[in-house]
Amino acid sequence: MTGAPRDPGLQPERTRLAWRRTTLSCTVVALLGVRQALQGGAGAAGAVAVALSLLAWLGFLRTAHRRMASMEAAEPGPLGPRRALTVAVCTVALAVFAAAMLY
Amino acid sequence: MRLWFAPEGIREEGDTPDYRFSLANERTFLAWIRTALALIGGGFAVDQFLPRLTSAVRSGLALALLVAGVLCALRAVNHWVRCERAMRRGEDLPVSRFPVLLSLAVGVVALAMVVVVLFGWEGR
């Protein structure tokens, strides 16, 4: 990092902030899921769905955190396909557990 | 589609593009993921904040939003992989009909909500 020229367009920083925004959106969705469970007085199935949603949220946060850490470099490498897939799978999981909670 | 099951394959194709272009592609991917998350949040919101709708209508709208969210997330990865591969091979970026379809779908859901909120207040 030291000595390497800074990107004049601040691309790594913008990308890091994009990850931050995305984790915030994910957190809002997870909170809505918790609210759904509290409001609906969910039974055992609902509790499982909430727990799995929180797990998906944690997976999302972990991936984002690691990717944001790699943004410290002056010229970060490309996003790994595995991380992209993990993020998408966590998002899909949130939707599936949301559907499970609503019905 | 092959890249879905062997994602590492993408690293072997062509040349590594300028990191700035990769990062721009990554930001676009994240923007699509945010769109997916917003749609999923919208599904929850329909259920939680429109309690006076009949349950069938509410379920239908919520489910439509959730399905749109899932499609959006899957499409985000697919489009990201295709863009990344095109950049590595030096080809044109892929074009897609998905944004149009998504906006039409969201428009239809929004219209349905307006109709339902205006005329469908009676009981659950």
Side-chain angles (χ1 to χ4, degrees), chain A residues 22-97:
Chain A
T22 313
T23 53
L24 280 173
S25 311
C26 188
T27 306
V28 169
V29 172
L31 284 176
L32 280 172
V34 171
R35 188 179 187 272
Q36 182 80 35
L38 291 178
Q39 202 179 39
V48 171
V50 173
L52 290 174
S53 295
L54 291 179
L55 213 61
W57 175 66
L58 283 177
F60 200 109
L61 281 195
R62 182 167 177 270
T63 313
H65 180 77
R66 297 207 165 170
R67 183 60 184 157
M68 278 191 271
S70 68
M71 286 295 153
E72 295 294 319
E75 292 192 4
L79 174 66
R82 219 161 267 264
R83 279 188 181 152
L85 212 52
T86 309
V87 163
V89 165
C90 287
T91 309
V92 170
L94 281 174
V96 170
F97 299 140

Side-chain angles (χ1 to χ4, degrees), chain B residues 35-85:
Chain B
T35 307
L37 286 168
L39 288 166
I40 296 167
F44 275 123
V46 166
D47 198 67
Q48 294 182 17
F49 299 109
L50 295 175
R52 288 165 67 195
L53 292 186
T54 57
S55 83
V57 171
R58 204 174 51 200
S59 302
L61 287 173
L63 201 62
L65 288 168
L66 290 176
V67 168
V70 168
L71 290 179
C72 219
L74 295 177
R75 190 267 179 183
V77 185
N78 194 39
H79 193 70
W80 173 80
V81 167
R82 288 176 64 197
C83 285
E84 201 76 5
R85 194 174 49 184

Side-chain angles (χ1 to χ4, degrees), chain B residues 2 8 21-22 35-36 43 45 55-57 63 75 79 81 86 91 97 106 122:
Chain B
R2 181 179 56 82
E8 274 69 22
F21 301 147
S22 291
T35 307
S55 83
V57 171
L63 201 62
R75 190 267 179 183
H79 193 70
V81 167
E91 294 167 352
R97 240 181 258 113
V106 169
E122 55 283 342

